[in-house]
Amino acid sequence: MAHRVTGVLIFFFLFVHVLDTALVRVSPEDYDKVVATYKTPIVALLEYGLVAAILFHALNGLRVIAVDFWSKGPRYQKQMLWSVVGLWLVLMLGAIYPVLGHAARELFGS
């Protein structure tokens, strides 16, 4: 279920991203306003959520491929799922500063 939910979330992000990028041709001033809103701490949290969704979707997709194409995959799917979750958690911890560092500096100062 999480794989499908993250896939839908990523799809909607890409849809909005294409629309806001297309705005630069229609109205560069409005595009600049939209991009300025992306520099807020709330959007930084949303970006962290996007990183979480993409990372989980990618790692779990590799697990699904292994289950489908490896003859022993179905037997080890639970262990692979916990491996995916563990790796995802480690990588998400590593992504905290690069993704949320700017928001933290903006909120709490340098």
Side-chain angles (χ1 to χ4, degrees):
M1 185 67 168
H3 191 75
R4 291 178 178 158
V5 169
T6 55
V8 169
L9 291 173
I10 294 165
F11 171 78
F12 282 120
F13 163 76
L14 290 173
F15 181 71
V16 170
H17 179 62
V18 167
L19 288 178
D20 73 1
T21 304
L23 189 60
V24 75
R25 286 203 167 275
V26 177
S27 173
E29 297 82 22
D30 289 336
Y31 173 79
D32 290 339
K33 290 176 190 175
V34 169
V35 170
T37 64
Y38 291 163
K39 296 175 183 173
T40 64
I42 292 172
V43 174
L45 285 173
L46 292 173
E47 286 177 344
Y48 189 70
L50 177 65
V51 170
I54 291 171
L55 190 57
F56 179 81
H57 193 79
L59 293 171
N60 193 56
L62 293 173
R63 182 190 70 87
V64 168
I65 290 169
V67 168
D68 286 347
F69 292 107
W70 181 34
S71 62
K72 296 180 183 180
R75 184 181 319 156
Y76 295 109
Q77 69 176 333
K78 188 177 279 191
Q79 292 91 336
M80 288 189 291
L81 175 62
W82 287 113
S83 298
V84 162
V85 170
L87 181 59
W88 177 79
L89 284 171
V90 168
L91 293 173
M92 287 308 297
L93 285 172
I96 288 175
Y97 182 75
V99 178
L100 296 177
H102 174 73
R105 285 188 298 278
E106 188 174 313
L107 286 173
F108 306 114
S110 298

